[in-house]
Amino acid sequence: QKEVEQNSGPLSVPEGAIASLNCTYSDRGSQSFFWYRQYSGKSPELIMSIYSNGDKEDGRFTAQLNKASQYVSLLIRDSQPSDSATYLCAVNGRRGGGYQKVTFGTGTKLQVIP
Amino acid sequence: DTAVSQTPKYLVTQMGNDKSIKCEQNLGHDTMYWYKQDSKKFLKIMFSYNNKELIINETVPNRFSPKSPDKAHLNLHINSLELGDSAVYFCASSQGAGNRGYTFGSGTRLTVV
Protein backbone atom coordinates (compact mmCIF):
# COMPACT_ATOMS: atom_id res chain seq x y z
CA GLN A 1 0.00 0.00 0.00
CA LYS A 2 1.32 3.42 -0.94
CA GLU A 3 1.85 5.81 1.95
CA VAL A 4 -0.24 8.54 0.31
CA GLU A 5 -2.66 7.69 -2.48
CA GLN A 6 -4.43 9.94 -4.93
CA ASN A 7 -6.31 9.33 -8.15
CA SER A 8 -4.05 10.65 -10.91
CA GLY A 9 -6.98 11.94 -12.98
CA PRO A 10 -7.38 13.98 -15.01
CA LEU A 11 -10.43 15.30 -13.20
CA SER A 12 -12.39 17.50 -15.57
CA VAL A 13 -14.96 19.96 -14.22
CA PRO A 14 -16.81 22.81 -15.93
CA GLU A 15 -16.02 26.38 -14.95
CA GLY A 16 -18.02 27.42 -11.88
CA ALA A 17 -18.48 23.87 -10.59
CA ILE A 18 -17.08 22.34 -7.38
CA ALA A 19 -13.94 20.25 -7.83
CA SER A 20 -13.44 17.50 -5.25
CA LEU A 21 -9.99 16.01 -4.80
CA ASN A 22 -9.37 13.04 -2.52
CA CYS A 23 -6.42 11.50 -0.75
CA THR A 24 -5.90 8.55 1.60
CA TYR A 25 -2.89 7.84 3.76
CA SER A 26 -1.57 4.77 5.54
CA ASP A 27 0.24 6.10 8.66
CA ARG A 28 -2.31 6.45 11.49
CA GLY A 29 0.20 8.51 13.46
CA SER A 30 0.23 11.30 10.86
CA GLN A 31 -0.27 14.72 12.38
CA SER A 32 -0.22 17.31 9.61
CA PHE A 33 -1.82 17.31 6.20
CA PHE A 34 -1.24 19.59 3.25
CA TRP A 35 -2.44 20.37 -0.23
CA TYR A 36 0.00 21.78 -2.76
CA ARG A 37 -0.82 23.09 -6.20
CA GLN A 38 1.70 22.58 -8.99
CA TYR A 39 1.29 24.24 -12.35
CA SER A 40 3.01 22.56 -15.29
CA GLY A 41 6.73 23.32 -15.24
CA LYS A 42 6.53 25.09 -11.90
CA SER A 43 7.26 24.20 -8.30
CA PRO A 44 4.68 23.01 -5.75
CA GLU A 45 2.96 25.80 -3.84
CA LEU A 46 1.29 25.28 -0.46
CA ILE A 47 -2.40 26.20 -0.60
CA MET A 48 -3.94 24.52 2.45
CA SER A 49 -2.88 22.82 5.65
CA ILE A 50 -5.10 20.99 8.14
CA TYR A 51 -4.29 19.40 11.47
CA SER A 52 -7.53 18.33 13.14
CA ASN A 53 -10.66 16.50 12.08
CA GLY A 54 -13.27 18.53 10.28
CA ASP A 55 -13.29 21.27 7.70
CA LYS A 56 -11.00 24.22 7.17
CA GLU A 57 -12.00 26.94 4.73
CA ASP A 58 -9.84 29.52 3.00
CA GLY A 59 -11.54 31.49 0.27
CA ARG A 60 -12.75 29.11 -2.43
CA PHE A 61 -10.78 26.21 -0.90
CA THR A 62 -11.99 23.82 1.81
CA ALA A 63 -9.82 21.08 3.22
CA GLN A 64 -11.51 18.18 5.01
CA LEU A 65 -9.82 15.70 7.33
CA ASN A 66 -11.11 12.42 8.74
CA LYS A 67 -8.38 10.73 10.74
CA ALA A 68 -10.52 7.68 11.58
CA SER A 69 -10.92 6.97 7.86
CA GLN A 70 -7.40 8.23 7.06
CA TYR A 71 -8.86 10.50 4.44
CA VAL A 72 -8.14 14.06 3.34
CA SER A 73 -9.97 15.99 0.68
CA LEU A 74 -9.83 19.37 -1.00
CA LEU A 75 -12.89 21.12 -2.37
CA ILE A 76 -12.53 24.00 -4.81
CA ARG A 77 -15.69 26.03 -5.19
CA ASP A 78 -16.50 28.12 -8.28
CA SER A 79 -13.66 26.45 -10.19
CA GLN A 80 -11.79 28.69 -12.60
CA PRO A 81 -9.61 27.78 -15.60
CA SER A 82 -6.69 29.19 -13.59
CA ASP A 83 -7.25 26.35 -11.08
CA SER A 84 -6.14 23.85 -13.74
CA ALA A 85 -3.04 22.25 -12.23
CA THR A 86 -1.86 19.14 -10.44
CA TYR A 87 -2.84 19.00 -6.78
CA LEU A 88 -0.50 17.15 -4.47
CA CYS A 89 -1.61 15.74 -1.14
CA ALA A 90 1.17 15.62 1.47
CA VAL A 91 1.22 14.01 4.87
CA ASN A 92 3.68 14.64 7.73
CA GLY A 93 4.11 11.40 9.58
CA ARG A 94 6.25 10.01 12.35
CA ARG A 95 9.58 8.56 11.47
CA GLY A 96 12.26 6.74 13.41
CA GLY A 97 14.71 8.90 15.30
CA GLY A 98 12.11 11.48 16.23
CA TYR A 99 12.17 13.28 12.91
CA GLN A 100 9.14 13.69 10.76
CA LYS A 101 8.99 13.22 7.04
CA VAL A 102 6.52 14.66 4.59
CA THR A 103 5.37 12.14 2.01
CA PHE A 104 3.67 13.31 -1.15
CA GLY A 105 1.01 11.60 -3.20
CA THR A 106 1.43 11.34 -6.94
CA GLY A 107 -1.02 14.17 -7.50
CA THR A 108 -4.38 14.63 -9.20
CA LYS A 109 -4.47 16.61 -12.40
CA LEU A 110 -7.43 19.01 -12.47
CA GLN A 111 -8.76 20.47 -15.69
CA VAL A 112 -11.33 23.25 -15.47
CA ILE A 113 -13.16 23.58 -18.76
CA PRO A 114 -14.36 27.11 -19.72
CA ASP B 1 13.42 38.62 -3.25
CA THR B 2 13.24 34.93 -4.05
CA ALA B 3 12.57 32.92 -0.89
CA VAL B 4 14.21 29.67 -2.02
CA SER B 5 16.51 29.96 -5.00
CA GLN B 6 18.15 27.15 -6.91
CA THR B 7 20.84 27.27 -9.54
CA PRO B 8 21.05 26.29 -12.26
CA LYS B 9 17.48 26.11 -13.54
CA TYR B 10 18.44 23.77 -16.37
CA LEU B 11 21.35 21.36 -16.57
CA VAL B 12 22.16 19.19 -19.57
CA THR B 13 25.18 16.95 -19.23
CA GLN B 14 26.68 13.73 -20.47
CA MET B 15 26.70 10.41 -18.67
CA GLY B 16 29.61 9.99 -16.33
CA ASN B 17 30.01 13.69 -15.57
CA ASP B 18 29.89 15.22 -12.09
CA LYS B 19 27.58 18.17 -11.44
CA SER B 20 26.35 20.30 -8.55
CA ILE B 21 23.09 22.08 -7.80
CA LYS B 22 22.99 24.93 -5.30
CA CYS B 23 20.16 26.07 -3.07
CA GLU B 24 19.79 29.08 -0.82
CA GLN B 25 16.86 30.27 1.30
CA ASN B 26 16.34 33.68 2.89
CA LEU B 27 13.31 32.75 5.00
CA GLY B 28 15.26 32.11 8.18
CA HIS B 29 14.17 28.47 8.14
CA ASP B 30 16.31 25.90 9.91
CA THR B 31 15.48 22.82 7.83
CA MET B 32 16.18 22.22 4.16
CA TYR B 33 15.37 19.36 1.81
CA TRP B 34 16.14 17.88 -1.57
CA TYR B 35 13.30 16.23 -3.45
CA LYS B 36 13.41 14.44 -6.80
CA GLN B 37 10.41 14.60 -9.12
CA ASP B 38 10.42 11.98 -11.83
CA SER B 39 8.65 11.98 -15.19
CA LYS B 40 5.46 10.70 -13.52
CA LYS B 41 5.50 13.76 -11.26
CA PHE B 42 6.15 11.73 -8.10
CA LEU B 43 7.98 13.84 -5.50
CA LYS B 44 10.35 11.73 -3.46
CA ILE B 45 12.47 12.99 -0.60
CA MET B 46 16.20 12.44 -0.87
CA PHE B 47 17.80 14.33 2.02
CA SER B 48 16.96 16.70 4.82
CA TYR B 49 19.21 18.89 6.94
CA ASN B 50 18.33 20.64 10.17
CA ASN B 51 20.80 23.32 11.25
CA LYS B 52 23.50 21.75 9.06
CA GLU B 53 22.89 18.28 10.49
CA LEU B 54 21.74 15.48 8.18
CA ILE B 55 18.46 14.12 9.57
CA ILE B 56 16.91 12.29 6.62
CA ASN B 57 18.89 10.22 4.17
CA GLU B 58 16.57 8.10 2.09
CA THR B 59 17.68 5.22 -0.10
CA VAL B 60 19.70 7.25 -2.55
CA PRO B 61 22.81 6.06 -4.43
CA ASN B 62 25.97 7.26 -2.74
CA ARG B 63 26.81 9.10 -5.97
CA PHE B 64 24.54 11.79 -4.49
CA SER B 65 26.18 13.82 -1.74
CA PRO B 66 24.48 16.74 -0.05
CA LYS B 67 26.36 19.45 1.77
CA SER B 68 25.04 22.18 4.04
CA PRO B 69 27.66 24.82 4.87
CA ASP B 70 25.11 26.74 6.96
CA LYS B 71 21.39 26.54 7.62
CA ALA B 72 20.59 28.84 4.70
CA HIS B 73 22.36 26.73 2.08
CA LEU B 74 22.02 23.15 0.90
CA ASN B 75 23.91 21.92 -2.13
CA LEU B 76 23.68 18.64 -3.98
CA HIS B 77 26.64 17.08 -5.75
CA ILE B 78 26.12 14.17 -8.11
CA ASN B 79 29.00 11.99 -9.28
CA SER B 80 29.11 9.77 -12.36
CA LEU B 81 25.73 10.87 -13.70
CA GLU B 82 23.48 8.21 -15.19
CA LEU B 83 20.54 8.42 -17.60
CA GLY B 84 18.17 7.52 -14.75
CA ASP B 85 19.21 10.63 -12.83
CA SER B 86 17.29 12.77 -15.31
CA ALA B 87 14.53 14.46 -13.34
CA VAL B 88 13.56 17.75 -11.74
CA TYR B 89 15.28 18.32 -8.43
CA PHE B 90 13.54 20.60 -5.95
CA CYS B 91 15.04 22.22 -2.92
CA ALA B 92 12.65 23.15 -0.12
CA SER B 93 12.83 24.68 3.32
CA SER B 94 10.74 24.75 6.45
CA GLN B 95 10.87 25.87 10.04
CA GLY B 96 11.40 22.83 12.23
CA ALA B 97 9.82 19.59 11.10
CA GLY B 98 7.67 21.25 8.49
CA ASN B 99 4.39 21.25 10.37
CA ARG B 100 3.52 24.52 8.63
CA GLY B 101 4.44 23.19 5.21
CA TYR B 102 7.37 23.69 2.92
CA THR B 103 8.50 26.46 0.60
CA PHE B 104 9.92 25.07 -2.62
CA GLY B 105 12.54 26.45 -4.94
CA SER B 106 11.81 26.72 -8.65
CA GLY B 107 13.53 23.43 -9.43
CA THR B 108 16.49 22.27 -11.50
CA ARG B 109 15.68 20.24 -14.58
CA LEU B 110 18.56 17.79 -15.02
CA THR B 111 18.88 15.98 -18.33
CA VAL B 112 21.57 13.34 -18.71
CA VAL B 113 22.37 12.40 -22.31
Side-chain angles (χ1 to χ4, degrees), chain A residues 32 34 36 38 41-46 51 88 92 95 99-106, chain B residues 35 37 40-43 45 53 55-58 90 97-102 104-106:
Chain A
S32 310
F34 310 94
Y36 288 80
Q38 186 175 23
K42 301 295 185 182
S43 59
E45 173 193 11
L46 180 66
Y51 309 99
L88 303 169
N92 199 353
R95 187 178 183 273
Y99 296 107
Q100 295 176 318
K101 181 182 77 169
V102 171
T103 300
F104 285 81
T106 52
Chain B
Y35 274 83
Q37 189 169 47
K40 295 184 178 180
K41 305 301 183 186
F42 180 54
L43 260 176
I45 191 165
E53 179 188 351
I55 58 172
I56 294 176
N57 184 353
E58 293 294 286
F90 285 104
N99 286 330
R100 297 292 177 221
Y102 294 172
F104 281 87
S106 57

Side-chain angles (χ1 to χ4, degrees), chain A residues 10-92:
Chain A
L11 172 66
S12 295
V13 300
E15 184 174 354
I18 296 175
S20 177
L21 305 162
N22 304 317
C23 170
T24 58
Y25 60 94
S26 60
D27 182 359
R28 283 197 169 273
S30 298
Q31 301 290 318
S32 310
F33 307 86
F34 310 94
W35 285 98
Y36 288 80
R37 177 177 62 201
Q38 186 175 23
Y39 292 113
S40 181
K42 301 295 185 182
S43 59
E45 173 193 11
L46 180 66
I47 56 171
M48 288 289 285
S49 56
I50 188 166
Y51 309 99
S52 54
N53 283 329
D55 295 0
K56 179 181 177 182
E57 187 175 316
D58 183 0
R60 295 186 296 112
F61 298 100
T62 299
Q64 299 175 317
L65 174 60
N66 183 328
K67 288 187 178 180
S69 300
Q70 296 174 246
Y71 178 90
V72 194
S73 65
L74 178 70
L75 300 178
I76 306 175
R77 289 182 299 282
D78 187 24
S79 295
Q80 301 296 309
S82 59
D83 295 326
S84 298
T86 296
Y87 289 80
L88 303 169
C89 174
V91 175
N92 199 353

